[in-house]
């Protein structure tokens, strides 16, 4: 007589999700999403749409945790919060990658980039897409709600997080090298533009560093969390999710409300910018010619 092996049921939560904490961060992310929406439309910085979508996903994710408070075994809200909170930072990273590429072009400093400017954004965004798909696929496997599928899903998510850390680490190296070079050998445009304050390109670069550091710490936390597994200390204690994920991601998104890329990049040429790559190239040509006129003026003064 054979006995059928029934897969063990996957335990969603080893605690009751806090409705107060989830509600606080749902509101925080909703507010920053609205602010990003206004900034996005006003400045027409369409390349920053991933940041807006990621913030919206965070808000919806915490709504899922609110729903889980009264029904911990409901699969829908669990998947909503688990998947959205997991993959949203990948969209933040995509926006950060695109901002650096545009900043380098804006400052006419492509020669200071370790990676050819045409490939810089594409390279890191492709890595981000790979990470996003791996984490999303792992989250989908966890939706089957069995121990076996959840274990495979966690391994796929862990792989996606390692890919994210690898590409993010490479991005930080590229950013630091560019920063070092542009400070040591500033271009004519970099020298003529504001560096400090909300409109300063150096301020924006520092914001990129700050947001990158927050995402890196959060990703390391997630790696440790998934290495420990569903029964590990981090997943069994809700407080760590809020300390090392919610707070850090809220800070990262809010940084770009304070210092929005539109304050710096194309701030003087925004009316003529269409939002596409062709528009960006047109503006860069204008900036380049402006820099050349500036150099010609200096030469005439010396004479």
């Amino acid at each position: 007589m054979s006995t059928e092996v029934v897969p063990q049921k996957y335990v969603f939560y080893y605690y009751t999700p806090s409705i107060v904490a989830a509600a606080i961060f749902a509101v925080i992310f909703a507010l920053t999403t609205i602010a990003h929406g206004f900034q996005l439309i006003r400045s027409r910085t369409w390349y920053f749409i991933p940041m807006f979508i990621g913030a919206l996903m965070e808000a919806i994710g915490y709504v899922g945790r609110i729903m889980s408070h009264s029904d911990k075994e409901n699969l829908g809200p669990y998947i909503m919060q688990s998947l959205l909170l997991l993959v949203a930072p990948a969209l933040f990273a995509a926006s950060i990658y695109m901002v650096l590429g545009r900043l380098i072009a804006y400052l006419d400093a492509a020669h200071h980039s370790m990676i050819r400017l045409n490939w810089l954004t594409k390279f890191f965004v492709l890595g981000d897409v790979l990470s996003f798909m791996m984490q999303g696929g792992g989250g989908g496997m966890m939706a089957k709600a069995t121990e076996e599928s959840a274990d495979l899903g966690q391994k796929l998510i862990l792989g996606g997080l390692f890919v994210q850390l690898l590409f993010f680490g490479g991005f930080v190296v590229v950013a630091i090298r560019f920063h070092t070079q542009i400070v040591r050998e500033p271009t004519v445009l970099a020298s003529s533009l504001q560096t400090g304050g909300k409109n300063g390109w150096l301020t924006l670069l520092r914001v990129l560093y700050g947001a990158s550091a927050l995402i890196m710490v959060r990703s390391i936390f997630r790696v440790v969390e998934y290495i420990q597994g569903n029964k590990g200390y981090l997943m069994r204690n809700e407080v760590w999710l809020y300390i090392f994920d919610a707070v850090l991601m809220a800070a990262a998104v809010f940084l770009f409300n304070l210092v929005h890329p539109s304050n710096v990049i194309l701030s003087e040429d925004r009316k003529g910018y269409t939002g596409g790559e062709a528009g960006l190239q047109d503006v860069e040509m204008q900036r380049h010619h402006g820099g050349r006129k500036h150099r010609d003026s200096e030469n005439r003064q010396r004479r």
Side-chain angles (χ1 to χ4, degrees):
M1 182 177 177
S2 60
T3 57
E4 184 180 354
V5 178
V6 179
Q8 290 186 326
K9 186 177 179 181
Y10 181 75
V11 178
F12 296 154
Y13 302 99
Y14 287 94
Y15 53 81
T16 300
S18 169
I19 193 170
V20 174
I24 289 172
F25 281 96
V27 170
I28 289 173
F29 279 107
L31 292 174
T32 190
T33 299
I34 292 170
H36 272 293
F38 279 117
Q39 291 174 309
L40 186 68
I41 294 170
R42 184 192 64 199
S43 63
R44 294 187 290 175
T45 47
W46 309 125
Y47 61 86
F48 222 54
I49 287 177
M51 180 70 68
F52 170 79
I53 295 175
L56 180 61
M57 289 170 65
E58 292 273 3
I60 296 173
Y62 285 104
V63 170
R65 291 189 71 85
I66 292 172
M67 295 167 65
S68 291
H69 174 80
S70 56
D71 188 356
K72 296 195 298 182
E73 297 186 359
N74 190 334
L75 178 61
Y78 172 76
I79 292 299
M80 180 194 304
Q81 65 86 30
S82 178
L83 191 58
L84 294 181
L85 299 184
L86 181 65
V87 302
L91 297 177
F92 302 155
S95 285
I96 290 173
Y97 298 151
M98 287 187 276
V99 168
L100 180 63
R102 279 163 171 75
L103 181 60
I104 292 173
Y106 186 67
L107 297 176
D108 193 22
H111 57 288
H112 288 324
S113 176
M114 290 178 64
I115 301 176
R116 191 174 178 179
L117 198 55
N118 291 343
W119 286 101
L120 188 147
T121 299
K122 295 184 182 73
F123 176 75
F124 287 112
V125 170
L126 281 173
D128 204 52
V129 169
L130 176 61
S131 169
F132 184 94
M133 292 177 65
M134 291 176 69
Q135 293 179 65
M141 293 182 69
M142 292 178 66
K144 296 180 181 179
T146 65
E147 287 279 2
E148 184 179 0
S149 64
D151 183 60
L152 290 174
Q154 287 182 3
K155 289 178 180 177
L156 189 56
I157 289 171
L158 189 58
L161 287 168
F162 273 118
V163 169
Q164 187 178 66
L165 281 172
L166 178 65
F167 277 87
F168 220 91
F171 167 78
V172 171
V173 171
V174 170
I176 291 174
R177 200 265 186 181
F178 165 71
H179 185 181
T180 303
Q181 291 296 106
I182 194 70
V183 170
R184 183 182 302 163
E185 300 176 15
T187 62
V188 173
L189 290 174
S191 299
S192 64
L193 295 172
Q194 184 176 338
T195 57
K198 288 186 177 181
N199 298 333
W201 62 264
L202 195 54
T203 299
L204 179 59
L205 193 56
R206 287 167 178 162
V207 166
L208 291 182
Y209 285 145
S212 297
L214 293 169
I215 295 174
M216 283 281 284
V217 171
R218 175 264 176 196
S219 296
I220 292 171
F221 159 72
R222 284 293 197 171
V223 165
V224 175
E225 182 185 46
Y226 279 95
I227 286 176
Q228 291 183 354
N230 178 252
K231 297 178 181 178
Y233 175 76
L234 293 177
M235 284 197 182
R236 294 175 71 99
N237 293 273
E238 184 181 24
V239 63
W240 303 115
L241 172 72
Y242 286 98
I243 293 175
F244 288 108
D245 196 318
V247 171
L248 300 187
M249 292 304 91
V253 177
F254 184 64
L255 273 176
F256 287 105
N257 285 132
L258 293 177
V259 182
H260 196 267
S262 64
N263 294 344
V264 181
I265 304 173
L266 309 176
S267 59
E268 297 175 9
D269 308 284
R270 195 176 302 137
K271 290 181 180 179
Y273 180 55
T274 62
E277 291 295 332
L280 180 62
Q281 290 171 6
D282 290 342
V283 169
E284 292 312 321
M285 288 179 65
Q286 294 171 15
R287 303 294 289 177
H288 179 71
H289 291 317
R292 188 162 59 188
K293 289 178 182 177
H294 181 75
R295 289 193 294 269
D296 292 342
S297 176
E298 286 182 338
N299 290 333
R300 283 194 297 269
Q301 289 176 4
R302 290 194 190 100
R303 290 171 189 162

